[in-house]
Amino acid sequence: MEVFKFGGASVKDADSILNLHGILRKYADMPLVVVVSAMGKTTNLLESVWKSKNEAEVEKLISTFRDFHLEAAENLLEKEHEFFNWFNDLTENLKRKVIHNSHNDEDYSRIVSFGELASTRLIQASLHEQGQDLIWLDARDLIKTEQHFVGALVDWDKTIKTVISSIEKSGFQYITQGFISSNHDGHTTTLGREGSDFSGSILASALKAEKYTIWKDVPGVLSADPRIERVTTCYQKLTYQEAAEMTFYGVKAIHPKTIKPLANHDIPLCVRSFMELDNPGTLITRESTKPHAPAIIYRFNQALMTFLVADFTFVNEDHISGILNYLNDHRISVNLMQTSAVSISFCMDENSELLEEMRKDFVGIFKMSYNSGLKLVTIKNYDSKALNGVTKGFEILMEQKTRNNYRAVFRGALNEPA
């Protein structure tokens, strides 16, 4: 049994779905679980539906959702196919959910889940038209989580039981959704944006699959974003640890939570291109590898916060633990942290409301200041050439350098690629 994951870019329109057909035909005789994201930018559209309080805007967005999927379906299916009735019911159900939208996390998960439900039903139907039958499974019946609705934590014991009881390991192929799950009460939850990679990892782990493949619009894991750096290298092999570090630093080819479940069971992960089928991509295993070309990784829209001890004492363990506990309670991720004798600084994804809230909550304990609109760069396995090329011309506000990694928060005219 193997697990494949296809993201939104690989199923963005009818032609892309036909390309997926071609890939799956090559594996028609292999037991397989196929995990699929919402088509194209559908999740962004449904997030706009959830956010909007303007009735006319919501109606227009839902019409866009409907027309987008119908256009693809009309290019893939016969006019009388049962998918069209199913999809009409799905759209009406979405409208009912929106009427009762309270703009909370529970309603967010309910509304955005319609993208994955639509894409997987359409792909299953179109594959059936071509003579390849995959059993459709609702991921909410497979992946069970605790009570948080967004970024929910997986209940591994329940998930393993539901997966094993739902999926035969021999002779069958299945299709299910990435990103979505359900809690103990059966209510829809989500695993976090770009969480479809993690969905596939969960299923591969529960099934003890032979391999997990993520099909991307890039040839594998690259040493840098080709939209920023002119020269990049595609890594042929990486270890679990190397790949996990790179995802933490901001590599977008793999969701950060993907690696651990696979490493626990020594399941190889392959990242490869859905457009270059002769390219083997990047293989990630436990095996040690030779030193790699430096990886240059950027994070944009960063804020740098500095906490200065207010009573003229030095920073101690209580100060540090107080801040870390606060961050943990508010589910805030720190991208870089540094202490001095009298201050604690850390870099996080920018959130102006949260920054002001923190400033108020720590009044009397710290004097707090922050800079926003910054960038964070990590050079893994740096050398002098990489260092000089990346840092030249930028105003560096904070930096760290270890034996293998260089990291810096900086201000400069480098824009995030669209």
Side-chain angles (χ1 to χ4, degrees), residues 10-259:
S10 64
V11 291
K12 64 183 180 181
D13 52 28
D15 287 341
S16 299
I17 292 174
L18 290 174
N19 184 66
L20 180 150
H21 287 186
I23 294 172
L24 294 184
R25 274 197 297 271
K26 295 177 179 292
Y27 301 92
D29 298 326
M30 183 177 74
L32 188 65
V33 176
V34 180
V35 178
V36 182
S37 300
M39 292 177 64
K41 301 294 183 182
T42 298
T43 302
N44 291 342
L45 185 149
L46 290 171
E47 283 184 343
S48 296
V49 171
W50 169 73
K51 289 176 183 177
S52 179
K53 297 180 180 180
N54 183 300
E55 186 176 335
E57 181 185 30
V58 168
E59 186 175 335
K60 183 178 180 180
L61 289 168
I62 292 176
S63 293
T64 301
F65 170 84
R66 182 190 64 238
D67 294 345
F68 173 67
H69 287 86
L70 286 178
E71 180 182 359
E74 288 164 359
N75 284 294
L76 294 167
L77 304 173
E78 296 293 332
K79 290 182 179 180
E80 302 302 319
H81 197 285
E82 62 184 13
F83 170 83
F84 293 100
N85 289 331
W86 176 89
F87 183 72
N88 182 62
D89 291 341
L90 182 81
T91 306
E92 292 303 313
N93 191 17
L94 173 59
K95 291 177 181 178
R96 288 192 291 272
K97 291 287 190 294
V98 170
I99 290 172
H100 302 289
N101 180 15
S102 298
H103 306 281
N104 56 22
D105 285 351
E106 181 175 6
D107 286 324
Y108 169 88
S109 291
R110 285 174 179 165
I111 289 169
V112 298
S113 69
F114 281 77
E116 275 72 16
L117 296 174
S119 67
T120 51
R121 281 291 191 188
L122 175 56
I123 291 166
Q124 182 208 28
S126 63
L127 284 166
H128 178 76
E129 290 277 279
Q130 301 296 318
Q132 189 168 356
D133 288 327
L134 275 69
I135 300 168
W136 188 90
L137 295 174
D138 192 326
R140 295 170 296 185
D141 296 331
L142 301 174
I143 299 177
K144 295 297 179 179
T145 67
E146 45 71 73
Q147 295 306 102
H148 279 105
F149 288 100
V150 176
L153 299 176
V154 176
D155 183 328
W156 282 97
D157 288 339
K158 286 192 174 183
T159 295
I160 290 169
K161 289 177 183 177
T162 56
V163 170
I164 290 175
S165 65
S166 301
I167 297 176
E168 279 282 345
K169 291 187 179 180
S170 60
F172 296 99
Q173 294 191 332
Y174 301 84
I175 185 167
T176 191
Q177 308 78 40
F179 180 50
I180 67 174
S181 46
S182 70
N183 62 21
H184 299 161
D185 298 322
H187 298 152
T188 301
T189 58
T190 49
L191 301 173
R193 283 304 305 263
E194 312 301 331
S196 293
D197 287 358
F198 186 36
S199 298
S201 176
I202 294 167
L203 297 176
S205 174
L207 293 165
K208 294 184 172 60
E210 294 176 20
K211 187 165 68 172
Y212 174 36
T213 301
I214 298 176
W215 296 87
K216 304 282 292 184
D217 56 357
V218 292
V221 180
L222 302 178
S223 61
D225 188 328
R227 297 170 297 177
I228 299 174
E229 300 292 331
R230 289 184 300 169
V231 179
T232 63
T233 299
C234 181
Y235 300 118
Q236 292 184 343
K237 292 184 178 181
L238 291 170
T239 64
Y240 292 127
Q241 181 174 339
E242 289 168 328
E245 281 187 55
M246 291 171 74
T247 64
F248 173 80
Y249 294 143
V251 164
K252 294 183 178 179
I254 312 168
H255 188 277
K257 293 183 179 179
T258 303
I259 303 297

Side-chain angles (χ1 to χ4, degrees), residues 259-383:
I259 303 297
K260 187 176 186 301
L262 303 175
N264 288 345
H265 297 288
D266 280 333
I267 299 169
L269 169 62
C270 185
V271 180
R272 57 184 300 193
S273 170
F274 58 76
M275 298 301 294
E276 302 174 20
L277 301 187
D278 294 332
N279 188 331
T282 302
L283 184 64
I284 300 167
T285 65
R286 192 177 298 280
E287 295 179 12
S288 60
T289 55
K290 297 177 180 179
H292 297 295
I296 303 172
I297 306 159
Y298 291 95
R299 297 182 80 109
F300 294 85
N301 301 315
Q302 299 293 292
L304 178 61
M305 307 186 66
T306 298
F307 293 85
L308 184 68
V309 180
D311 61 1
F312 301 102
T313 58
F314 298 119
V315 169
N316 57 40
E317 289 78 4
D318 288 339
H319 293 132
I320 297 171
S321 63
I323 293 176
L324 292 178
N325 287 334
Y326 181 93
L327 297 172
N328 183 62
D329 291 343
H330 288 75
R331 305 180 82 185
I332 303 167
S333 297
V334 175
N335 299 328
L336 183 64
M337 184 171 181
Q338 191 164 285
T339 63
S340 71
V342 295
S343 68
I344 304 168
S345 297
F346 68 87
C347 177
M348 59 177 275
D349 295 341
E350 189 171 326
N351 183 326
S352 56
E353 292 181 7
L354 182 60
L355 292 170
E356 286 302 320
E357 182 181 330
M358 292 181 70
R359 190 204 294 270
K360 294 174 184 176
D361 289 343
F362 284 105
V363 166
I365 305 172
F366 298 104
K367 295 177 181 178
M368 193 187 106
S369 61
Y370 65 83
N371 299 96
S372 57
L374 306 177
K375 293 92 176 175
L376 170 64
V377 64
T378 301
I379 311 177
K380 182 171 170 55
N381 301 321
Y382 66 87
D383 56 25

